[in-house]
Amino acid sequence: SYVLTQSPAVSVAPGQTARITCGGNNIGTISVHWYQQKPGQAPVLVLYDDSDRPSGIPERLSGSNSGNTATLTISRVEAWDEADYYCQVWDISGDHPVFGGGTKLTVL
Amino acid sequence: QVQLVESGGGLVKPGGSLRLSCAASGFSFSDHYMTWIRQAPGKGLEWISYISLSGDAMYYAESVKGRFTISRDNAKKLLYLQMNSLRAEDTAVYYCTGDGPYCSGASCFSWWGQGTLVTVSS
């Protein structure tokens, strides 16, 4: 089964840029999706197909995907951004979705 | 406005059964793949099952295969998860999700319910 690796935690000061990575074997060849989850709430899709934003998601959130790493970049970080972030892909060999372990973003 | 509302969670003893339901509204239910995803307390997200548009194809994670059954009633706009032979490790919040406008098949999940908690304990 395809494995996605995320760093457990990232900390950033308000106004700075946060980068949350998702590692996987040749992940650059498949689409990556990202979810934001705040405590006690359901996850929310914030990026799909590597870098597309659903309606209502701020332009400060962007994504890239190349080689063995996909990255969710959050510019001008705000307190609102503090949450857990999960990457997700489709495992072609297993014919099912796969999630990364999640990254907790702390806004200092 | 899209809504997914789960119900049926609760406390059950190991080896017991529960049936979760998810009531969908605000979209054409029969046009969308539906998926159950769970999250154990303090843990990450785990996909467990998805079902095709007509309900004729179902897929399961190895952790629940043979114990859980997903189904849908397109006329009633309902998604179900029958859970049998429950174990302590099945304790989690169970989310009903739909592919929605940004995803195809079960490739990703635009829509999420609020979740229902299942606790397996003696």
Side-chain angles (χ1 to χ4, degrees):
Chain A
S1 185
Y2 194 80
V3 176
L4 293 174
T5 302
Q6 295 185 244
S7 297
V10 169
S11 299
V12 64
Q16 300 304 303
T17 297
R19 293 179 179 84
I20 298 170
T21 60
C22 177
N25 187 37
N26 289 321
I27 196 173
T29 64
I30 56 179
S31 291
V32 179
H33 318 290
W34 291 91
Y35 303 85
Q36 177 194 67
Q37 185 180 32
K38 298 184 178 181
Q41 298 183 19
V44 173
L45 179 69
V46 293
L47 288 180
Y48 64 99
D49 292 347
D50 297 340
S51 59
D52 290 333
R53 281 182 304 277
S55 175
I57 302 301
E59 292 184 4
R60 301 184 297 103
L61 277 66
S62 61
S64 62
N65 185 17
S66 178
N68 293 316
T69 305
T71 303
L72 166 65
T73 300
I74 307 175
S75 304
R76 302 180 301 282
V77 166
E78 304 173 357
W80 177 88
D81 300 318
E82 186 162 283
D84 293 328
Y85 291 84
Y86 295 90
C87 59
Q88 178 251 313
V89 302
W90 183 262
D91 181 352
I92 294 175
S93 61
D95 209 17
H96 62 78
V98 174
F99 287 95
T103 297
K104 181 177 182 60
L105 175 65
T106 299
V107 180
L108 300 171
Chain B
Q1 180 186 357
V2 170
Q3 275 200 308
L4 296 172
V5 180
E6 303 94 336
S7 59
L11 176 64
V12 62
K13 289 181 168 51
S17 298
L18 273 181
R19 187 197 199 198
L20 305 184
S21 299
C22 171
S25 61
F27 66 100
S28 180
F29 184 70
S30 59
D31 288 340
H32 295 277
Y33 275 66
M34 299 298 293
T35 301
W36 287 99
I37 292 168
R38 70 183 180 185
Q39 185 172 35
K43 302 297 185 182
L45 301 171
E46 179 189 15
W47 162 79
I48 57 172
S49 182
Y50 70 90
I51 189 167
S52 62
L53 302 181
S54 62
D56 59 349
M58 297 82 75
Y59 302 82
Y60 299 94
E62 286 298 322
S63 58
V64 305
K65 195 175 291 185
R67 301 188 299 122
F68 289 12
T69 302
I70 190 172
S71 61
R72 65 191 297 165
D73 185 331
N74 285 343
K76 295 181 179 179
K77 302 182 75 171
L78 288 168
L79 177 71
Y80 301 104
L81 186 68
Q82 177 66 44
M83 304 186 295
N84 299 330
S85 302
L86 283 161
R87 307 165 180 166
E89 54 265 36
D90 294 318
T91 294
V93 173
Y94 285 73
Y95 292 104
C96 166
T97 73
D99 55 4
Y102 305 112
C103 311
S104 61
S107 63
C108 66
F109 316 102
S110 303
W111 300 322
W112 294 69
Q114 84 287 353
T116 187
L117 176 63
V118 172
T119 303
V120 184
S121 175
S122 54

